[in-house]
Amino acid sequence: MGILTIFQKSKKEIESFIIATGRDLGCFRLNEKREAIFAVGSLFDLVQMTKKEYKVWKELKASRTISNWAENCINNNVVSDEKEFEQIKLKFKNHRLFEDWDKNSILQMKEHNVSKNGVFLNYSSKEDKWIISSFFPKRSISLNQEQYEVWRAAVGTSTIADVVKIVANTSNNNEKNAIEKVIRIAPILVERDLWNIEFFGKAEKYYANEKVIADTIHTEFFDSNSLSANTNIVSLGDEIGYESTSIREKDNMLIMVANKVVTLNSKEHAAWVAFRKGVLTIQDSKEIFSVQLEEMISVVKMLMDKRVVMKWPESLVANKQFVLSVGPKGIGIGTKNNKEYKILDVTNGEGKFLPYEAYMVWAFSHGYVPIAIIIEKFKMNLNYSQEDASYRVTQWVRLLLNQGLVNLTIIPDNPLVVGWKNQR
């Protein structure tokens, strides 16, 4: 069949630009015949796919138009004919796994969360490039200034519309130029696995009627007057970049939490990173930094007052008012035995092997959904009691955070605050 005869459709559809959405969960399970079933996630819609459908989604990530996508699938022998492609395309459309991508549609994408993969490593003044860690292959990716600005804008619980605002604010662009820049660069970041775009729809329907102001929630988790050596601490928020425009002056780091920008000095940032990467208690951090307990407690108090760390209980007794959310990071490779699951972390693409339960918590995670909903989904899918589900999710979230596979954040109740410029 000739490529030019694949579609007898309107010129508008064939020439419309598109962008792939969904988060790569890898091989979700093996069926009774030991055939791999893959999954791509958007909110709780874990779209299960055959190997062929999964390859079609991979081709989608590298395509810019419907016709380009079809040609790639045909030329690479992913599908056999037009009919097969159309069937898969319809399935993807029904699950919102691609969207129109133009200046009119982009500002309407207020129900698409964007998260970035990779971390900033260095700036090369010689090449004027920003160096970002990557997944495939295990080496860094160089971004020019425009690409870096768009990549970095996917912070916290940003939507596509938020990213446009951030790019306009931080790059001294007007909205028109910011839209053009995001339209041009975002597909490159999606193709390189440096961005995940997930449709979450009216996510507030899960908690809006019971939601309270984020700054006043569960004050016991931010009670800095009851800290002790054995207090368990976790970090909240997502790194934006260093405050200074000079790469040599790495004194202040900017963190986004609950749509607010928080500045941490070098000592505070070091402690924030430690609690994120596996340090469990204040006593543990005291020994790592070789300081007195009183000094370490003082640092933790400052972080707690800024709402970038919180106490972490053995089991979260969470309801829908508890607006803590778990934002997933990384790329799923999946399982070969239905028991152990491999995920590539955001730091250097190292494979992290997780048991099934931890993988399911990661798969259900979303920056716009409170952790109580994850516990509910976990309980329903794995047939645990409420008490057991709460305990297990609490423990698995801590593990995922330490492995670099999630961020913890507070779901914002206010519009995005953009208040930084030109950070690296």
Side-chain angles (χ1 to χ4, degrees), residues 144-304:
N144 62 33
Q145 182 172 343
E146 286 189 329
Q147 292 170 338
Y148 173 71
E149 288 169 354
V150 175
W151 170 78
R152 187 188 58 179
V155 64
T157 53
S158 298
T159 65
I160 290 288
D162 291 334
V163 167
V164 171
K165 293 179 186 177
I166 293 173
V167 171
N169 178 270
T170 60
S171 308
N172 297 317
N173 288 306
N174 57 37
E175 184 178 84
K176 180 180 178 181
N177 290 339
I179 289 172
E180 185 277 331
K181 186 182 291 187
V182 173
I183 287 174
R184 177 164 42 86
I185 293 172
I188 299 172
L189 301 177
V190 169
E191 182 178 357
R192 292 184 176 185
D193 290 312
L194 292 177
W195 260 25
N196 292 328
I197 301 175
E198 291 185 73
F199 175 74
F200 61 84
K202 298 292 184 183
E204 288 197 357
K205 69 184 178 182
Y206 291 106
Y207 64 94
N209 294 334
E210 302 175 72
K211 189 163 176 276
V212 295
I213 297 174
D215 283 345
T216 64
I217 62 161
H218 296 265
T219 53
E220 68 269 23
F221 292 106
F222 298 97
D223 180 10
S224 60
N225 294 318
S226 60
L227 297 174
S228 68
N230 294 323
T231 303
N232 275 276
I233 302 292
V234 295
S235 297
L236 302 176
D238 194 5
E239 288 183 348
I240 297 172
Y242 289 104
E243 184 176 39
S244 175
T245 56
S246 171
I247 205 64
R248 296 178 180 178
E249 299 175 14
K250 297 181 179 180
D251 51 341
N252 290 333
M253 172 63 72
L254 300 178
I255 306 293
M256 177 78 85
V257 62
N259 272 357
K260 296 178 181 178
V261 179
V262 178
T263 302
L264 303 183
N265 62 37
S266 58
K267 183 182 293 185
E268 291 170 334
H269 181 234
W272 182 87
V273 171
F275 288 122
R276 179 189 178 92
K277 291 191 173 181
V279 174
L280 302 180
T281 67
I282 295 178
Q283 177 66 31
D284 295 333
S285 62
K286 162 190 169 297
E287 294 173 358
I288 288 175
F289 294 111
S290 300
V291 297
Q292 296 298 313
L293 179 62
E294 293 75 14
E295 182 178 351
M296 200 66 235
I297 288 178
S298 176
V299 172
V300 173
K301 281 185 175 181
M302 290 188 288
L303 293 173
M304 201 163 276

Side-chain angles (χ1 to χ4, degrees), residues 13-73:
E13 177 178 355
I14 293 176
E15 294 183 348
S16 294
F17 287 97
I18 58 172
I19 192 166
T21 65
R23 181 161 59 96
D24 193 348
L25 305 181
C27 180
F28 187 66
R29 62 184 175 87
L30 302 179
N31 64 17
E32 297 80 4
K33 298 179 180 179
R34 306 297 292 174
E35 297 169 333
I37 303 298
F38 295 84
V40 173
S42 270
L43 192 55
F44 299 132
D45 187 12
L46 305 185
V47 185
Q48 296 189 38
M49 302 178 179
T50 64
K51 187 176 182 178
K52 175 175 288 191
E53 290 171 333
Y54 183 65
K55 287 182 177 180
V56 172
W57 182 74
K58 289 286 193 178
E59 292 290 352
L60 169 62
K61 293 183 70 174
S63 303
R64 302 294 181 262
T65 66
I66 295 290
S67 58
N68 176 221
W69 180 22
E71 289 174 12
N72 290 341
C73 288

